[in-house]
Every structure is written in structure tokens, then in C-alpha cells.
Amino acid sequence: MGFSLGCMTEKSIEFWYEFASTYSYPAAMRVERLAAASGVIVRCKPFLLGPILAAQGMKDSPFNIYAVRGRYMWRDLERICAAENIPLKHPSRFPQFGLKAARLALIGADRQPVGQAATNWCPAFSRAVFTANFAEDKDITQDDVLADILRNIGVDPQAAFAAANTAENKDRLKRQTDEAMERGIFGAPSMLIGEELFWGNDRLHEAIDWAAR
Amino acid sequence: MGFSLGCMTEKSIEFWYEFASTYSYPAAMRVERLAAASGVIVRCKPFLLGPILAAQGMKDSPFNIYAVRGRYMWRDLERICAAENIPLKHPSRFPQFGLKAARLALIGADRQPVGQAATNWCPAFSRAVFTANFAEDKDITQDDVLADILRNIGVDPQAAFAAANTAENKDRLKRQTDEAMERGIFGAPSMLIGEELFWGNDRLHEAIDWAAR
């Protein structure tokens, strides 16, 4: 019984990122635009990489643990940002703890409307936080820095912080991080289309192409 | 005094690779062709990654140490090889110790002519060793496997092994590995153009573009 109008499935990609992650920066700055050009919707998935690296035995960024990799990464990031016309200023603090920003980003993604913003403000917020971290050398662990960012994208900081700091939302970020690990994510940025995992800014185009198939 | 006909510098790229390295495989299969298309000469630089990873505290491939990274890497390699029409068969031994093959490759690169081959046979030899490892599941630590490969590319195995196994050549491979580490190489494949380092199969095009500038 019944009938079908055909499978009008929405093409989407999950974009998993961490605010401390250098390679998440150029990916976050481009993912919405590139996905839209391919008719693909982006699902913002902020998470914390720290617990995942800790499970691999790392207590710090691998780019700090392995200095030679760190030196390469910063040079590589310079080349990538130059090629994509993305501003870059080597931050004086690295990595910066992205916990507060990630809790806020979760609110932006799903708890709409918050304050004046009626739409999903997670992408705009995330781009602004990444820019503060990697282009403006701001301390993204500071409430006033995050509040300025929220105001600049038209979100009431007081309402957003209140929602971000509920026990429920804090737990939600933990569960999102657990989900990342369970689904095989070990670094950031990562893109998931169903169970198909793509890791790294280098795989952004391939991941979007996969989602658009 | 005197005059100049202009600077006719030869554009070249150093291709640093390890026979055990999975991502070196698709890079080695393409580097000569892609570089030639850009008028760039490839300088073969076989080296051993083991001592470099050991200096970073790793006693095994990071893809074995971190199982989740290993699972991802094999899937990622499948996608890369499929996209590039490069055959891939998950090897039953990983990583395979590339010492003997690397010593032979050094001979092919610089000690020409050896046996019947009058030209640099390092690229053809290297592609065949990688194919044996990652497409044919052969044991590349076995002399007979390497001898077959040499014969197939027109090189006398006896002469090549004799040259490869001199104390001088063994030491040369050690020095080449030391040089890799000194110049900031921490993984394979790596491409160097002067001091500009590119790491990974993902950077092959960018590295060749850099060399062709």
C-alpha cells in the first residue's frame, strides 16, 4: 500500500573538527562553500581530539611531541593557506584548549534559535573561532574572546553561554567525542559519509565528491 | 669579463622513499611520469624509515602501533589506488624490511652501468619492488624475488647484488638515511626541492609544481 515519490535523499557530509587542530582550520574555512557547490549539506560535528589522542598514548599534540613533524606542519600549513588565500599567523599558544568553543558550537548547530540568531550559526561561529586562533593569535579559551565572536555573528553571548554550560550540553560534547572514537576517527578534520571516513584537509574534495555521488 | 648564455638550470626533485611504506607505493608508480610531464627530473632517494621512526620512539610502523590509523590507511590506500588505476592487494606481511631492495636501488640510481643495463634502472626497479610488495604479495626480503625483478628489467642479478653488498654501498645507504633525517624527513614518501620539503603521496603534484617553477 502507499506509493513512493522516489528517494529524495538529502546529500550530506559530517564535518568533524577540533578548534585546536591546525589542519581543521583551512578545512573549516572552505567546507561549507565547497559542499554547497556540490549540492551537499554539511553537518557540523565539533569534538575534542585530546581524549582520542590520549587513548593513543599521546598527552600533547603530535606536532609538539614530534618536533620535526611540528616544524613541517607549520610550513605545510603556510603553503596551504597561501594557496587558498586564507590568512595565517603562527599562534603564540599551541594547542589551545577548544572545550568552551566546542560546547558553544554544539549549541549553534542544534539548539536554534538562541538569542537573536534563528539559524544554525555553528559554521559562522566556527570559522570565526578558527580565525581568532590561527589568524589573529587570540586566546580562544577566554570567555570575552568567544563573547565578541558571538556578538559579531549576531548571537546573544549570555544566552549562548547559558545553553552551552548546562550539564546536558557538556555531556553531549563528551558523547559526541565518544561517537567520533567509536566511528574510527583518530584525527581532525575528519569527514564521514555514512561509514566512509576521510581524514585531513587533504581529503576535503574527495569526501565532498563521495557525498555528492 | 666573459658572458653568460643564461641560467639553464635543470629542474629536479628528490624523491625519498622506503620500500615498506604504503603511501610511497602510489607515489613511486607515478612520480617519473608526472615529473616528466612538467619537465622535471626525478632523483631517486631510497632510504630506510625504520631508524627515523625509532628516533621518534616508534619500534614498528605507526599503522601497526595505532590500529585505528592502520585500518584507515588501508582503506585510504584502496581509494587512492582505485582512483589512479594502480593494482593493490593487501600484503600478508607488513611492513616488509626494505633493506636489500634499498641497497640495490642505490646501485641502480648511481652505479651505472651494472650488468646489461646502461641507464639508471632505479625507477623501474623500484616500481617493480613496490608492485611485488603491494600488488603481488611477494616477499621482497627474499633474494630470489629481487633477482627475478632485476632480470625482468634487464639487469644482471649477480653483478647488482655484488655491488649492493659491498661495505661501501651498505654505508652509503646508512649515510643516505642520516641525510634524510638531517634534512627534516620524518616519513615517506617525501619530496625535497632544495630545502623545501613535501611529505606524502598527497603532496606529489604540489612538489612537482614547486620544482617546475
Side-chain angles (χ1 to χ4, degrees):
Chain A
M1 57 181 288
F3 62 94
S4 168
L5 289 170
C7 188
M8 294 285 288
T9 52
E10 195 177 62
K11 290 172 176 174
S12 70
I13 188 169
E14 294 173 37
F15 179 66
W16 291 78
Y17 61 100
E18 147 76 56
F19 285 111
S21 153
T22 50
Y23 287 111
S24 291
Y25 169 46
M29 299 305 282
R30 299 180 298 140
V31 62
E32 302 285 336
R33 176 172 47 84
L34 294 175
S38 294
V40 171
I41 288 169
V42 178
R43 304 196 184 284
C44 266
K45 296 282 186 179
F47 74 109
L48 297 182
L49 192 53
I52 293 178
L53 294 179
Q56 293 173 43
M58 286 180 260
K59 308 263 189 234
D60 190 359
S61 162
F63 299 125
N64 288 340
I65 296 173
Y66 305 113
V68 66
R69 291 181 181 247
R71 279 192 296 277
Y72 174 77
M73 179 276 290
W74 289 111
R75 175 62 185 141
D76 193 42
L77 193 67
E78 272 179 15
R79 291 189 303 234
I80 290 168
C81 289
E84 300 287 349
N85 283 314
I86 295 170
L88 176 68
K89 183 177 175 185
H90 194 130
S92 49
R93 313 159 197 84
F94 177 78
Q96 292 205 55
F97 194 35
L99 177 68
K100 285 180 187 173
R103 285 176 179 162
L104 286 164
L106 268 187
I107 298 299
D110 295 328
R111 304 284 184 87
Q112 46 196 282
V114 169
Q116 300 95 314
T119 54
N120 176 351
W121 46 266
C122 182
F125 173 76
S126 298
R127 287 191 296 268
V129 172
F130 276 116
T131 299
N133 189 352
F134 293 113
E136 298 166 353
D137 197 18
K138 289 185 181 162
D139 185 345
I140 63 162
T141 68
Q142 297 299 312
D143 286 359
D144 60 338
V145 170
L146 296 169
D148 278 350
I149 288 171
L150 289 165
R151 265 188 295 270
N152 284 341
I153 61 168
V155 175
D156 173 35
Q158 201 171 352
F161 272 108
N165 289 329
T166 61
E168 186 200 342
N169 191 60
K170 290 177 178 179
D171 187 58
R172 205 168 142 228
L173 182 61
K174 278 186 204 139
R175 281 185 280 116
Q176 185 133 304
T177 298
D178 289 345
E179 183 191 337
M181 199 164 356
E182 283 156 16
R183 294 175 71 190
I185 288 175
F186 54 87
S190 288
M191 286 70 68
L192 272 169
I193 303 100
E195 295 188 355
E196 195 72 24
L197 176 64
F198 294 84
W199 172 46
N201 176 64
D202 294 332
R203 291 288 177 283
L204 190 57
H205 286 279
E206 286 90 336
I208 290 169
D209 287 349
W210 191 280
R213 296 194 315 180
Chain B
M1 58 181 285
F3 60 95
S4 169
L5 289 170
C7 187
M8 293 286 287
T9 51
E10 194 177 64
K11 290 173 176 175
S12 70
I13 187 171
E14 294 173 35
F15 180 65
W16 292 78
Y17 60 100
E18 147 75 58
F19 285 111
S21 154
T22 50
Y23 287 111
S24 291
Y25 170 45
M29 300 304 281
R30 299 180 298 140
V31 62
E32 302 286 335
R33 175 171 48 82
L34 295 175
S38 294
V40 171
I41 287 169
V42 179
R43 305 199 183 283
C44 266
K45 296 283 186 178
F47 74 109
L48 296 183
L49 192 52
I52 293 178
L53 293 179
Q56 294 173 42
M58 286 181 260
K59 307 265 190 233
D60 191 359
S61 163
F63 299 125
N64 289 340
I65 296 172
Y66 304 113
V68 66
R69 291 181 181 247
R71 279 193 296 277
Y72 174 77
M73 178 276 290
W74 290 110
R75 175 62 186 142
D76 193 42
L77 193 66
E78 273 178 15
R79 290 188 304 233
I80 290 168
C81 288
E84 300 287 349
N85 283 314
I86 296 170
L88 175 68
K89 183 178 177 185
H90 193 130
S92 49
R93 314 159 197 82
F94 177 79
Q96 293 204 56
F97 194 36
L99 177 68
K100 286 181 186 173
R103 285 174 179 163
L104 286 164
L106 267 187
I107 298 299
D110 295 328
R111 303 285 184 88
Q112 49 199 279
V114 170
Q116 302 95 314
T119 53
N120 175 352
W121 45 265
C122 182
F125 173 75
S126 298
R127 285 192 297 269
V129 172
F130 276 116
T131 300
N133 189 352
F134 294 113
E136 298 166 352
D137 196 18
K138 288 184 181 163
D139 185 346
I140 63 162
T141 69
Q142 296 299 311
D143 286 359
D144 60 339
V145 170
L146 296 169
D148 279 349
I149 287 172
L150 290 164
R151 265 187 297 270
N152 284 342
I153 60 168
V155 176
D156 173 34
Q158 201 171 352
F161 272 108
N165 290 329
T166 61
E168 186 200 344
N169 191 60
K170 289 177 178 178
D171 187 58
R172 205 169 141 228
L173 181 61
K174 278 186 204 138
R175 280 185 281 115
Q176 184 132 305
T177 297
D178 289 344
E179 183 191 337
M181 198 162 358
E182 283 156 15
R183 294 176 70 191
I185 288 175
F186 54 87
S190 289
M191 286 70 68
L192 273 169
I193 303 100
E195 294 188 355
E196 194 72 22
L197 175 63
F198 294 85
W199 172 46
N201 176 64
D202 294 333
R203 291 288 177 283
L204 190 57
H205 286 279
E206 285 91 337
I208 291 169
D209 288 348
W210 191 281
R213 296 195 312 180

